[in-house]
Amino acid sequence: MSLPPLPDSAIDLGVHASDWRAAVRFAGNALRRSGATRDSYTERMIQVIDEFGAYIVIAPGLALAHARPGPDVLADGLSVVTFAEPVVFGHPHNDPVSVVVGLAVSSPDAHVTCVAELANIFNDPQAIPALANASTADEVWRVIGAPELPQDLSPVR
């Protein structure tokens, strides 16, 4: 399985977030804007962090925002948000966060597969700094890879 689509509408670069909740909302809004989720998915991503803590900060500078598959996932999708100033999530080792990758998938199997594929990407020590410093969607796609997009989600290049 390849990664879910990452259309232009799901990429926000250099945004200002006042705290981790705002950072996750940016990632959720990007997923909603791309047509992958409804607003309630964003709130579920925040509830996961409220319940389990900042475990989504999976590497120095990188958070993987997600929630379980549910009826508010309309299509599998990714979002990438970078921040003008890094955001503290409360992780003991990997704070502050410069990049949040939002993940929405419609099945538990797809969730596991996508997390594994993202882990492979971020095993490259250059990947997180490259995303954090990306100034265009093309630069993001060079790091993440440009997955096949459905016709209605094709990026404008």
Side-chain angles (χ1 to χ4, degrees), residues 93-151:
H93 308 293
N94 294 333
D95 266 342
V97 169
S98 299
V99 178
V100 173
V101 174
L103 172 65
V105 292
S106 57
S107 76
D109 289 343
H111 182 87
V112 171
T113 302
C114 289
V115 169
E117 288 198 34
L118 287 167
N120 285 335
I121 291 169
F122 294 113
N123 278 338
D124 177 350
Q126 301 304 315
I128 297 169
L131 277 183
N133 293 316
S135 59
T136 66
D138 283 336
E139 291 174 2
V140 171
W141 289 320
R142 270 187 230 120
V143 175
I144 299 287
E148 293 284 324
L149 296 177
Q151 189 86 17

Side-chain angles (χ1 to χ4, degrees), residues 3-57:
L3 288 172
L6 177 61
D8 271 356
S9 60
I11 298 172
D12 280 329
L13 303 175
V15 302
H16 297 269
S18 57
D19 59 21
W20 69 263
R21 290 175 192 276
V24 172
R25 282 196 174 95
F26 274 110
N29 289 342
L31 286 168
R32 181 190 42 76
R33 207 172 42 240
S34 72
T37 63
R38 293 189 172 112
D39 286 336
S40 59
Y41 187 76
T42 300
E43 295 311 312
R44 289 198 307 119
M45 291 193 299
I46 290 170
Q47 288 171 353
V48 167
I49 301 166
D50 281 337
E51 185 173 352
F52 297 108
Y55 80 96
I56 70 161
V57 183

